[in-house]
Amino acid sequence: MADHIPLYPVQSAAAAAAANRKRAAYYSAAGPGQGADRHSRYQLEDESAHLDEMPLMMSEEGFENDESDYHTLPRARITRRRRGIEWLVCGGWKSLCTSCCDWLIHVCQRKKELKARTVWLGCPEKCEEKHPRNAIKNQKYNVFTFIPGVLYEQFKFFLNLYFLVVSCSQFVPALKIGYLYTYWAPLGFVLAVTIMREAIDEFRRFRRDKEMNSQLYSKLTVRGKVQVKSSDIQVGDLIIVEKNQRIPSDMVFLRTSEKAGSCFIRTDQLDGETDWKLKVAVSCTQRLPALGDLFSINAYVYAQKPQLDIHSFEGTFTREDSDPPVHESLSIENTLWASTVVASGTVIGVVIYTGKETRSVMNTSNPKNKVGLLDLELNQLTKALFLALIALSAVMVALQGFVGPWYRNLFRFLLLFSYIIPISLRVNLDMGKAAYGWMIMRDEHIPGTVVRTSTIPEELGRLVYLMTDKTGTLTQNEMVFKRLHLGTVSYGTDTMDEIQNHVITSYSQTQSQASGNNASSTPPRKAQSSAPKVRRSVSSRIHEAVKAIALCHNVTPVYESRAAGAGETEYAEVDQDFSDENRTYQASSPDEVALVQWTESVGLTLVSRDLTSMQLKTPSGQILTYHVLQVFPFTSENKRMGIVVRDESTAEITFYMKGADVAMSTIVQYNDWLEEECGNMAREGLRTLVVAKKSLTEEQYQDFESRYSQAKLSLHDRALKVAAVVESLEREMELLCLTGVEDQLQADVRPTLEMLRNAGIKIWMLTGDKLETATCIAKSSHLVSRTQDIHVFRPVTNRGEAHLELNAFRRKHDCALVIAGDSLEVCLKYYEHEFVELACQCPAVVCCRCSPTQKAHIVKLLQQHTGRRTCAVGDGGNDVSMIQAADCGIGIEGKAVFSSVFYFASVPLYQGFLMVGYATIYTMFPVFSLVLDQDVKPETALLYPELYKDLTKGRSLSFKTFLIWVLISIYQGGILMYGALVLFESEFVHVVAISFTALILTELLMVALTIRTWHWLMVVAEFLSLGCYLASLAFLNEYFGIGRVSFGAFLDVAFITTVTFLWKVSAITVVSCLPLYILKYLKRKLSPPSYSKLTS
């Protein structure tokens, strides 16, 4: 019977069948034309919608009902099923309050709708709408919101709110039971420290923002160039940006000083990619004779509305004063986004987006106030103490028989018991955190570290998930050529000199053959007699491989003129002296630069390049010229790039190509070594490129060029037709070599990641770089261990594909996950719970092609679904959102609970100053000194990182340990008070001095009991507190009498010096502490902690 029950009965089977029959009849009546197409589309949509009614973990073959699959992810499903009262109790009220606050903020701010815009060149006054200022603002508050904001952040926690209510109650005469300073002095101290700390942090943020907003840029006007601050730039301004200068706002690229009409920009602070991006100026403005002609034309840019996507842009450039008007489409290659840096030449652009509407700011989340897990746990424990306090007060009122105004008595008892929740806890916690922050900044092993947020240093001991960027964080972004493999022979860094000798020999022979007209056959015969055939074959293969690597790229050599001004560059001409010390290489990828630098090191140097030709210099100094006929750029789809060149000296036409092994393996001729060697290099963490060539006759090239030109002029399916023509060349190419390039890792990355993994921390790498690059770094950095498999999540674009791919991923065990940002977006849209549940089971996760907002979204998902503490590490502007979202952000550039139960008489037993002193002076120093305590030495912690797992479990501060300390405090409080009453029955007037002295001594001994590793400052703190108390006995003796000073009850100093007083106080103290020392000793012997086993 159960077999016939549908998993998710949305509608009855009969009703569904009837609806399907009606639908089919309707579309069949429409005929085979448009209606049929609509029917098929409807069916696809219906099937996609039907996935809602299926469990995720069904198999691909028809999605048959598998009971075990259905129950795979119960936790995710239970989370979604919570409704009503259960949802409200289990945290729904927090979501409700947050939603209400967000709604109120949204209503107050009244965010205006973003619209497309028309921007006239150099005419900001023509803008139809008012646009935001181009100011960077990272401050949390302003002058008016600082005090209210800081107070709200403090009093939104129950612990602080409790102290505030208790303090305010003393302004009510009927409830006043002590001096005002008794309550307000500790609270004021805590608030003063907090406000001062926030003010310092806010001032630092203000100073950094001011520095960025005050950067000067050249603005082009009708009267010439004027200097303008970054914050004063407006939409429509023409801004000049020099080389190595940050782009201040989103602009459309109009002109450049580069001859080619293009420039390179660095985008690592925006998207995390290390590749330089080639940007192309608008051809209409680039062709203008002079810079000032930009004001002589009547032109405007139509730009789409501001949006998050940093990889796309749609717009048009229109010049109206020409006949006919010039219309030029604009794409992402014509844009210069804010926070990127100009890498070559000088650029001029027109500003289209400013301030909050720029891509970089829209991809940055608002900073949040981070709260440590310790604060949250203490907040919960405070609530538990408060409930106990209410119960105790109710019992006291009940014992009085609820006579008179019992509700007022209930509140007075609440105030009398208020010291059960000690404000010294808040004082010591804040001071301890400040001390930990100071220790981090003074740590000699991490010099230069700055603690920006001093409220969460303890979070470093509770981390479970570590999110890290790749570029600049794990890697140095410095590429080094490591390996050249020719199939039969492999060359590494220690044998590069052999390659250099082969290249020198090869080109010297070629030069001698070219110079000797009659004796051209002599050198080969000499070579034949002096070297074996195999050696000559290897030499020629090395020659071809090095030449191919030196020609197949998009690198441009640039010569910095030492005599010229900063930022000025000049391209090398053929008759120029190509001096090595002035040459630098520019390219869209650091891999390409590494390859060209390697060919230079072995003797073949790229000395000049423009759009139509390039020149190579041989070891002997000869210049070889090649004409560039075609260039096929690298894309993420084809994973390869190609170039067709003609040798000027021989007129030979050669097609060179290089790319990833997955793309090139089907293009090159059959071989039996490529796949194996690619795997070997990948395991070493090297980025591999396969290099191949194909010689073309003049007729073959002319035929290709005509077909290629026709395909580029096609109006329909242009991209497909162009790709088909190019693929006609990519057949049976000669495999030349396999190269291996290493991205230099940061120092000690491998042992660090290994140590973190052993400590139980799961590491996720979130990068904007390509999938292949990210996978390679994950292997080389040992983020993924050698024995682990890697599951590369196939690209998915819709719900059905995501459904099937998640099923395939579910069947893998103990494998790392690699997923692209686009596929991640689809999975999170439809299967958020299931995907996070599966990903959290992986030992490592790599998310590539991630936007800044995606990085922050992933961090928030982990926090919501796992409830664990997260840490984000990054070095660029694209990592800011991730760092702000994490519980603990790293940018690359204790136990103090002591409760006591007091004896309550009709008047306060311990008067105001004693309670203030106990909360601060008498107890603060010893408890505060616990920040110096170490359960294990740092060397041991690094040697055994598995010890870190104990911290993440949170056993040091749980309800169990909390209850143990409460029981201890009840025991000690009872011993102190009743012991004083029993031993001093005839001297009750001295009970305050007796009990309080025993209390102070007990507190000092309990701190000593807690300490694991003694520090000399701890001893000083113990004796300093004791000394302060003894001084109080001598100079503040009026506070130790029963009742108030006016009653005439003073402490007899002579009494506390008697032997009887001393031994009886000592006896009470020993009875309250000795059993605890014995229990601690027995526990360490019978059930020692894990760290003690290592240190014994």
Side-chain angles (χ1 to χ4, degrees), residues 1036-1058:
L1036 300 171
N1037 56 14
E1038 68 269 19
Y1039 287 98
F1040 290 87
I1042 292 294
R1044 302 189 182 279
V1045 177
S1046 58
F1047 294 167
F1050 294 96
L1051 175 69
D1052 185 2
V1053 178
F1055 167 72
I1056 65 172
T1057 58
T1058 62

Side-chain angles (χ1 to χ4, degrees), residues 490-561:
S490 176
Y491 294 93
T493 52
D494 54 344
T495 54
M496 290 300 175
D497 54 338
E498 294 184 27
I499 297 179
Q500 187 175 13
N501 294 333
H502 284 301
V503 171
I504 293 172
T505 303
S506 176
Y507 275 105
S508 63
Q509 290 179 356
T510 305
Q511 189 174 5
S512 62
Q513 289 177 14
S515 60
N517 295 326
N518 298 328
S520 61
S521 60
T522 305
R525 280 202 294 269
K526 286 183 180 177
Q528 207 168 21
S529 60
S530 60
K533 185 177 180 181
V534 175
R535 181 64 177 265
R536 194 182 66 251
S537 174
V538 169
S539 181
S540 63
R541 287 162 63 190
I542 289 175
H543 169 75
E544 286 296 329
V546 173
K547 185 169 71 171
I549 296 170
L551 290 172
C552 187
H553 52 71
N554 63 1
V555 180
T556 301
V558 174
Y559 292 86
E560 302 285 348
S561 178

Side-chain angles (χ1 to χ4, degrees), residues 484-490 541 672-673 677 735-738:
L484 179 72
H485 204 292
L486 301 177
T488 57
V489 61
S490 176
R541 287 162 63 190
D672 58 358
W673 60 272
E677 291 304 326
L735 176 59
L736 295 178
C737 65
L738 175 67

Side-chain angles (χ1 to χ4, degrees), residues 401-432:
F402 292 97
V403 293
W406 62 269
Y407 50 87
R408 189 172 65 186
N409 293 337
L410 177 68
F411 205 94
R412 287 175 66 88
F413 273 117
L414 286 174
L415 295 175
L416 287 170
F417 287 131
S418 63
Y419 287 103
I420 290 178
I421 304 176
I423 199 169
S424 60
L425 173 67
R426 184 78 259 172
V427 175
N428 281 313
L429 194 62
D430 286 349
M431 296 298 290

